[in-house]
DNA sequence: TTGCTGACGAACA
DNA sequence: ATGTTCGCCAGCA
């Protein structure tokens, strides 16, 4: 089943602009549950069956590391997708995180 | 049913 | 600076 928390997570992730990334914790915080960041990751795990178009590769952990790449069809897919959007990945972590980090808070207002 | 695990993150020691 | 613990809670054995 899918609860509102999941739906909100999906909404936000789908709103992430191309060329930007965000973090699980940031999303959780914007949803009013700063300590439920694990659930955001869990939601991502479920996202592919809910809506395959969800850009889960744009969601990283707070350090900008590709912690979830093992959940993609291939381990290189997540990195490839990010690089295709202009990001630079090094040692499983994104570079210039400060410049590409997107704040989900601005999406909350839209929703 | 209970207990463990996990795409996280913050607080402690 | 590094390692451990805890909160969160949905799945799974």
């Amino acid at each position: 089943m899918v609860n509102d928390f999941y739906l909100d997570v999906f909404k936000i992730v789908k709103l992430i602009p191309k060329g930007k990334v965000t973090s699980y914790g940031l999303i959780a915080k914007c949803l009013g549950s700063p300590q439920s960041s694990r659930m955001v990751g869990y939601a991502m795990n479920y996202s592919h069956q809910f809506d395959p178009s969800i850009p889960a590769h744009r969601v990283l952990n707070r350090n900008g590391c590709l912690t979830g790449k093992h959940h993609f069809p291939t381990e290189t897919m997540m990195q490839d997708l990010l690089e295709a959007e202009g990001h630079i990945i090094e040692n499983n972590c994104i570079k210039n995180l400060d410049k590409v980090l997107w704040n989900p808070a601005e999406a909350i207002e839209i929703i």
Side-chain angles (χ1 to χ4, degrees), chain A residues 26-47:
Chain A
L26 227 43
I27 294 174
K29 189 171 184 175
C30 288
L31 292 181
S33 302
Q35 291 160 316
S36 298
S37 49
R38 302 186 80 148
M39 294 304 98
V40 178
Y42 217 98
M44 288 300 97
N45 193 21
Y46 185 82
S47 68

Side-chain angles (χ1 to χ4, degrees), chain A residues 28-77:
Chain A
K29 189 171 184 175
C30 288
L31 292 181
S33 302
Q35 291 160 316
S36 298
S37 49
R38 302 186 80 148
M39 294 304 98
V40 178
Y42 217 98
M44 288 300 97
N45 193 21
Y46 185 82
S47 68
H48 68 97
Q49 43 182 312
F50 175 80
D51 186 345
S53 68
I54 293 176
H57 61 279
R58 293 181 186 152
V59 187
L60 314 173
N61 73 0
R62 75 174 187 95
N63 293 319
C65 296
L66 283 57
T67 53
K69 70 173 189 176
H70 290 300
H71 296 265
F72 282 79
T74 65
E75 293 196 4
T76 56
M77 185 183 210

Side-chain angles (χ1 to χ4, degrees), chain A residues 2-50:
Chain A
V2 190
N3 48 33
D4 293 339
F5 186 83
Y6 278 43
L7 293 177
D8 286 339
V9 171
F10 297 149
K11 275 187 207 169
I12 292 177
V13 173
K14 291 181 75 169
L15 287 174
I16 300 175
K18 182 179 179 181
K20 295 284 185 176
V21 299
T22 193
S23 77
Y24 304 98
L26 227 43
I27 294 174
K29 189 171 184 175
C30 288
L31 292 181
S33 302
Q35 291 160 316
S36 298
S37 49
R38 302 186 80 148
M39 294 304 98
V40 178
Y42 217 98
M44 288 300 97
N45 193 21
Y46 185 82
S47 68
H48 68 97
Q49 43 182 312
F50 175 80

Side-chain angles (χ1 to χ4, degrees), chain A residues 66-96:
Chain A
L66 283 57
T67 53
K69 70 173 189 176
H70 290 300
H71 296 265
F72 282 79
T74 65
E75 293 196 4
T76 56
M77 185 183 210
M78 188 174 187
Q79 178 170 338
D80 289 342
L81 288 171
L82 288 170
E83 288 178 339
E85 295 182 0
H87 300 299
I88 302 173
I89 311 301
E90 189 170 280
N91 195 24
N92 281 341
C93 295
I94 199 168
K95 296 197 81 171
N96 303 322

